[in-house]
Amino acid sequence: ILASGLSADTEALPIRANARLVAATLMAGQSADYHIAAGRKAYLVPASGRIDVNGVVAAAGDGVAISDERLLQISAQEDSEIVLVDVA
């Protein structure tokens, strides 16, 4: 977690928004899960590489708007850097 306005994220850079900014680097073949609390939405962008997010493929620069999901399963098809914003 890079930055967050959520009180539970004590290690993150504080921001004045009901949001969380997360980044990750995944090597080809690696995967990561991200849990989204009920009522929240997410926006995910691969800054580099190519990923699969719950069956949707996104390449560098693509944006994936996510709502009504509780779990994101992200798999790297290529070495990838991803940025995710979790908002209310």
Side-chain angles (χ1 to χ4, degrees), residues 20-53:
R20 175 184 287 142
L21 177 64
V22 180
T25 300
L26 297 175
M27 303 308 288
Q30 285 186 318
S31 62
D33 290 345
Y34 184 82
H35 297 270
I36 302 173
R40 296 186 68 83
K41 297 172 178 63
Y43 186 73
L44 187 147
V45 176
S48 65
R50 185 177 178 88
I51 60 172
D52 179 295
V53 184

Side-chain angles (χ1 to χ4, degrees), residues 51-83:
I51 60 172
D52 179 295
V53 184
N54 291 6
V56 175
V57 176
D62 291 344
V64 181
I66 301 152
S67 61
D68 301 320
E69 295 281 351
R70 297 295 301 273
L71 174 66
L72 298 182
Q73 295 178 311
I74 305 161
S75 301
Q77 296 180 344
E78 301 173 357
D79 293 352
S80 303
E81 294 178 329
I82 58 174
V83 177

Side-chain angles (χ1 to χ4, degrees), residues 1-15 17-22 34-35 37 40 86:
I1 300 171
L2 299 176
S4 179
L6 306 179
S7 60
D9 296 336
T10 58
E11 299 291 318
L13 176 70
I15 58 175
N18 187 359
R20 175 184 287 142
L21 177 64
V22 180
Y34 184 82
H35 297 270
R40 296 186 68 83
D86 176 332

